[in-house]
Amino acid sequence: MIIVKTSEEIELMRESALIVSRTLGMLAKEVKPGVTTLQLDKLAEDYIRSQGAIPGFLGLYDFPNTLCMSPNDQVVHGFPTSEPLVEGDIISIDCGALKNGFYGDHAYTFAVGEIAPETEKLLQVTKESLYVGIREFKKGNRVGDVGYAIQKYCEDHGYGVVRELVGHGLGSKMHEDPEMPNYGKRGRGKKFIEGMVVAIEPMINMGTQRIKQHRDGWTITTLDNKPSAHFEHDVALINGKPELLSTFAYIYDALGIESNEEEEFRQKQFVL
């Protein structure tokens, strides 16, 4: 069952989402060769708690850390480790925060130093597909419309779209209805309802769509060990249109990147 949020609840969710956005922005300056993902995890936990929030992933389903850290061929759900990042790596950082009874859940795949051109293209296309999907999250559409748009965009570029892992509804629980696959058929699935909030998160592989789960019960890697990218936004349906609750603006500010990619999805002016 889809749980519709009031306008007041959506604003509380925006606050939680922006805590995650600021956390990722803070981490953007720290993602570099030589740093360990455990160090990044500690920075994130301290920052989230300083904002009066609780790390959303820590202890959720018994996950032991604040961040899911998934480098290179890891798709999602990787554990932070003491192994340092190296030049040419990519790293998906997935972060959650709980405040005022509502979750934020947001992810970005960072380049570590200079990366290969083909890997840079994977990141670019995956992030573009996120907005292609968000554009379909509107009045009159269904879950399959978002999934179809993401799938077609990525497969047209020759990439594999992960089937076993999906986006989801978001609210007082980290995972609510509906599931939001990154594949599908137009006009299929649950119909979008005014006031619903979802996390849309393409997980796209350079090679095969197939994945494998490791014995730790969490870590997911590509079957062919080629790189995977992951980007995620929290989005509310307001006045029949998608409204971003999260933002990559803090990341871009930290990295000196100029972008207007989010403008069409903001009904309110966003200020850093």
Side-chain angles (χ1 to χ4, degrees), residues 246-258:
S246 53
T247 183
F248 293 146
Y250 295 103
I251 295 171
Y252 295 159
D253 185 59
L255 299 180
I257 297 171
E258 293 186 6

Side-chain angles (χ1 to χ4, degrees), residues 124-126 128-129 132 148-159:
Q124 176 185 340
V125 170
T126 303
E128 290 170 353
S129 80
V132 167
Y148 173 84
I150 293 171
Q151 178 185 6
K152 185 177 189 308
Y153 192 81
C154 293
E155 289 183 348
D156 283 353
H157 283 85
Y159 297 133

Side-chain angles (χ1 to χ4, degrees), residues 64 106 129 133 169 225 236 245 251:
H106 188 24
S129 80
N225 300 121
L245 303 183
I251 295 171

Side-chain angles (χ1 to χ4, degrees), residues 40-254:
L40 298 176
D41 189 73
K42 181 64 166 62
L43 288 173
E45 179 178 356
D46 290 347
Y47 182 80
I48 291 169
R49 293 191 188 280
S50 77
Q51 301 299 297
I54 299 170
F57 295 167
L58 184 60
L60 185 70
Y61 312 126
D62 295 324
F63 189 76
N65 296 98
T66 293
L67 302 174
C68 291
M69 307 286 280
S70 307
N72 301 320
D73 65 339
Q74 291 188 24
V75 182
V76 287
H77 301 163
F79 294 119
T81 72
S82 58
E83 184 175 346
L85 296 173
V86 300
E87 185 89 9
D89 281 346
I90 58 173
I91 179 82
S92 164
I93 302 182
D94 195 355
C95 180
L98 175 64
K99 187 174 183 180
N100 298 318
F102 290 97
Y103 282 96
D105 177 19
H106 188 24
Y108 192 91
T109 300
F110 293 89
V112 182
E114 295 293 325
I115 61 175
E118 60 269 24
T119 308
E120 181 68 43
K121 182 182 177 184
L122 171 68
L123 268 58
Q124 176 185 340
V125 170
T126 303
K127 183 157 65 70
E128 290 170 353
S129 80
L130 171 61
Y131 296 109
V132 167
I134 291 171
R135 205 167 283 124
E136 298 299 318
F137 181 61
K138 60 186 178 181
K139 182 179 179 180
N141 275 8
R142 295 178 180 269
V143 166
D145 295 301
V146 172
Y148 173 84
I150 293 171
Q151 178 185 6
K152 185 177 189 308
Y153 192 81
C154 293
E155 289 183 348
D156 283 353
H157 283 85
Y159 297 133
V161 179
V162 174
R163 301 298 201 270
E164 295 88 345
L165 303 160
V166 299
H168 51 89
L170 188 69
S172 60
K173 294 182 179 179
M174 177 66 74
H175 298 106
E176 297 183 354
D177 281 342
E179 289 190 344
M180 296 291 295
N182 297 304
Y183 64 95
K185 295 183 178 180
R186 288 201 176 279
R188 301 287 182 88
K190 293 186 176 181
K191 193 171 185 178
F192 298 138
I193 302 171
E194 180 79 9
M196 67 184 293
V197 179
V198 297
I200 298 176
E201 50 179 322
M203 290 156 275
I204 308 300
N205 301 340
M206 184 178 288
T208 180
Q209 69 186 42
R210 298 177 65 193
I211 59 174
K212 57 186 175 183
Q213 185 171 41
H214 291 226
R215 290 182 179 179
D216 61 24
W218 286 97
T219 307
I220 305 286
T221 56
T222 59
L223 193 63
D224 57 9
N225 300 121
K226 291 184 178 180
S228 182
H230 174 215
F231 292 87
E232 179 180 19
H233 268 312
D234 300 339
V235 194
L237 189 61
I238 301 175
N239 298 323
K241 299 177 182 179
E243 167 81 8
L244 283 181
L245 303 183
S246 53
T247 183
F248 293 146
Y250 295 103
I251 295 171
Y252 295 159
D253 185 59

